[in-house]
Amino acid sequence: TDIFFRLLPDFDMRMQLKKSENINLTYRMQTQFTDVNNLARGLVLNGYNSLFSGNEALENAVSHNINLAYFSFNMFNYTNVFANINYSKRIDQIRSLTDFESVIRTSTLFNSPFADESLSASGRFQRRFGKLQATLRGTLSYQKFNQFIQGQQSVNENYNQSYRAGFRTNFRKAPNVEINYDYTISDNDQGATRNKFFTNAPSIEFDALIWNAFTFRTDYSYNSLSDED
């Protein structure tokens, strides 16, 4: 029997700046339980060369999550603005510890003393100019993950950036065309190795209403992936 007490606060604030403009701030603390099989002592034969042993001293992990969001919509010029920031931190994460001896792999679980973190921010601006609608969007993200192999800690860090610019017509009966251009940067740092890739992706979509009963739609996209060289 394992009995414990933990206070897990939640916080939610909503600020109404105007009728169609608001800011939301939330905070949440959570505890994460592991599977009971991971606490059991003894060996589990997962394969002819793979052994697993439980750890009865495992503690529950704790996570913190903070989110800040902004939204605004203007009915007069059809301007739509949205922004969001999210941060999470996970403490005492249950991680796998793997040892290799010849072809035999033995693994167990433990509470990592290193926190895993993630941070993301995104924003979108959209406005209509007569029958033309313009959209700008961007996303930034960062992730930090701790991994353990042969008793050695390695830190994996991922940085990602994504941007989009697009235009679309808004005719009720005439055919509509949407043109987008996406640009993405992906940066993966594993300590000993680091890879960085760039993606350019223009696309076009066409749709038309036929006889007020059928919609014909077709699209084309082109993706170009390259590294730093």
Side-chain angles (χ1 to χ4, degrees), residues 182-199:
D182 294 274
Y183 180 69
T184 304
I185 303 175
S186 179
D187 191 351
N188 184 16
D189 185 0
Q190 295 182 339
T193 60
R194 185 167 186 171
N195 299 311
K196 194 172 185 179
F197 295 97
F198 306 88
T199 304

Side-chain angles (χ1 to χ4, degrees), residues 3 11 36 40 53 69 108 137-138 141 144 146 151 161 212 215 223:
I3 301 175
F11 175 78
V36 67
S53 62
T108 186
R137 187 172 63 191
S141 65
K144 178 182 177 182
N146 293 275
Q161 304 177 50
N212 292 325
T215 299
N223 289 268

Side-chain angles (χ1 to χ4, degrees), residues 27-45:
Y27 166 77
R28 177 174 297 173
M29 180 179 177
Q30 294 177 303
T31 185
Q32 299 171 332
F33 298 90
T34 185
D35 190 273
V36 67
N37 292 323
N38 295 331
L39 302 171
R41 289 183 297 177
L43 290 176
V44 178
L45 185 63

Side-chain angles (χ1 to χ4, degrees), residues 55-66:
N55 182 1
E56 62 178 348
L58 287 178
E59 299 288 342
N60 300 311
V62 176
S63 65
H64 302 271
N65 188 275
I66 302 175

Side-chain angles (χ1 to χ4, degrees), residues 6 10 12 39-40 47 77 89 100 114 130 183 203 210-212 216 219:
R6 178 170 289 160
D10 281 3
D12 187 5
L39 302 171
N77 54 18
K89 185 176 183 179
F100 295 90
F114 304 97
Y183 180 69
S203 62
I210 303 176
W211 301 317
N212 292 325
F216 172 78
D219 62 87

Side-chain angles (χ1 to χ4, degrees), residues 131 168-178 205-208:
K131 296 298 182 180
R168 175 176 173 80
T169 58
N170 283 292
F171 298 109
R172 186 176 296 272
K173 293 185 177 181
N176 287 291
V177 178
E178 181 176 356
E205 181 176 323
F206 172 85
D207 62 84

Side-chain angles (χ1 to χ4, degrees), residues 94-117:
I94 297 177
R95 288 284 174 254
S96 175
L97 186 62
T98 303
D99 289 318
F100 295 90
E101 184 175 349
S102 183
V103 296
I104 306 299
R105 181 181 62 189
T106 304
S107 61
T108 186
L109 301 172
F110 74 106
N111 290 101
S112 171
F114 304 97
D116 296 333
E117 299 176 89

